[in-house]
Structures are given as structure tokens and as C-alpha cells.
Amino acid sequence: ITQQRIVCPRTAKRAIRQEAGALVMGLRLIGLVANDLGSSISATDVSVTTDGLSGVGARARFGGSVTLTGGKITTSGLGAHGLESFFAGSVISATDTTIVTTGASAIGVAVNLGRADLMNLSIKTSGTAAYGVRADHVGAIANIAGGTITTSGPSVYTETHSATTNAFGLVNLEIGGGTPVSGNFSTIDW
């Protein structure tokens, strides 16, 4: 796949076609998926957009592999993931790709028992409990070389510290030991 905008949902209730590409809305949408041992997808300069509960831009699963070069993945909705490598032997590789996820529990790159090789990515996530890159379970591997990761969401507590580094350039800070700016440290729901 080269230089296109695509969305390939597994289950979609409705689709809204646009002139320059596709925007698919629904439940558990997946733009690109390599779903079994030996399956693979290679995509260059592709733009994928999903909108809905648990949507995923690109997924390598059950031993499949997905390789992305350039392009942009945009997902939104509760539990939306930009890229996902799921199960042992699954590999997702991305180079010079932009990933944008929004929504509660959104994850830019989720690695669950698989592997992700990431080079020069721009990852931006926003929402409550949003993660830039998350590796779960024994054997999950995320290799990151270059790029930027930005996460944002509502602040529960903010404080400032005035600290000086030691001879090695290190500083020790105690969370809750600074000067409160907003929120109450003792009421944080850990």
C-alpha cells in the first residue's frame, strides 16, 4: 500500500466517505490488521483514521507483522490505540510516522506480549489515563530510536519544586513534598 488514505474496519456500523479518503465510525474498528502467523502488511505514506470505542489504527496480532513508513495514524474514542502489537511473535514496525490518539485510556503504541520497533515517530496522546507507549506482560518489547512522545490530560494535582542537582547532575524529588499549585495531594485516587 503506498500513498493512500485507507480504513479497513473489521466491524463497522456505518461509514462516512470523504473525497480524500475515508473516516470510519463505529465499534472496535481496525484500519490495518495482520491477524495471523505469517501474515504481513507493508504500508508507505498511508493515512488511517478510526473513530469509535476501542479503535486501532494498525494491529499486528497472533504472529502477524505490520511495517509502516511515513504516513499518519489518527484514532479517537475510549480505549483507542494508534499501533498495537498483540501476542507473542507479533511485530509492528514504524518509521517516520505520526500517531495521534484521543480519548480516555488512549494509547499511542500498545505492546501486549509482542514487539514494537519505533524509529523517529511523533506520538501525541490526550485524555484521562493516556499513554504514549505502553508495554504489558512478560516478553513485551518496545524499541524506540528517536522521535517525540507527548501526552496530555486533565491534571489532578500540580506542585512545584526548587531543587539543585548533585555533582552527578541528579536530583531527588518527593511527590507531595513540593509547593501545591492546584489540587489536593491527599485526595488523589491512586
Side-chain angles (χ1 to χ4, degrees), residues 49-76:
T49 302
T50 66
D51 181 53
L53 179 65
S54 300
V56 178
R59 173 185 283 165
R61 188 169 119 162
F62 300 129
S65 69
V66 175
T67 302
L68 304 173
T69 304
K72 183 175 183 177
I73 304 289
T74 305
T75 63
S76 62

Side-chain angles (χ1 to χ4, degrees), residues 15-189:
I16 301 170
R17 297 269 171 218
Q18 296 177 337
E19 185 178 320
L23 167 66
V24 178
M25 301 173 69
L27 174 66
R28 293 192 181 110
L29 303 173
I30 304 171
L32 303 170
V33 61
N35 203 37
D36 212 343
L37 184 63
S39 63
S40 67
I41 293 175
S42 179
T44 302
D45 295 325
V46 171
S47 178
V48 176
T49 302
T50 66
D51 181 53
L53 179 65
S54 300
V56 178
R59 173 185 283 165
R61 188 169 119 162
F62 300 129
S65 69
V66 175
T67 302
L68 304 173
T69 304
K72 183 175 183 177
I73 304 289
T74 305
T75 63
S76 62
L78 176 65
H81 297 173
L83 305 179
E84 182 180 77
S85 178
F86 182 79
F87 209 69
S90 302
V91 178
I92 194 150
S93 302
T95 302
D96 300 322
T97 304
T98 299
I99 299 166
V100 179
T101 64
T102 57
S105 300
I107 302 175
V109 179
V111 185
N112 191 347
L113 296 173
R115 187 178 90 218
D117 297 323
L118 314 171
M119 183 176 288
N120 298 321
L121 262 61
S122 172
I123 301 171
K124 187 174 189 176
T125 63
S126 63
T128 302
Y131 296 88
V133 177
R134 181 174 173 166
D136 285 317
H137 303 291
V138 173
I141 300 169
N143 299 309
I144 303 169
T148 59
I149 300 171
T150 306
T151 60
S152 64
S155 174
V156 175
Y157 174 76
T158 305
E159 65 181 25
T160 60
H161 290 264
S162 178
T164 305
T165 62
N166 65 18
F168 300 104
L170 302 175
V171 64
N172 291 317
L173 300 176
E174 179 183 347
I175 298 173
T179 303
V181 174
S182 67
N184 186 333
F185 183 77
S186 65
T187 62
I188 296 174
D189 183 11

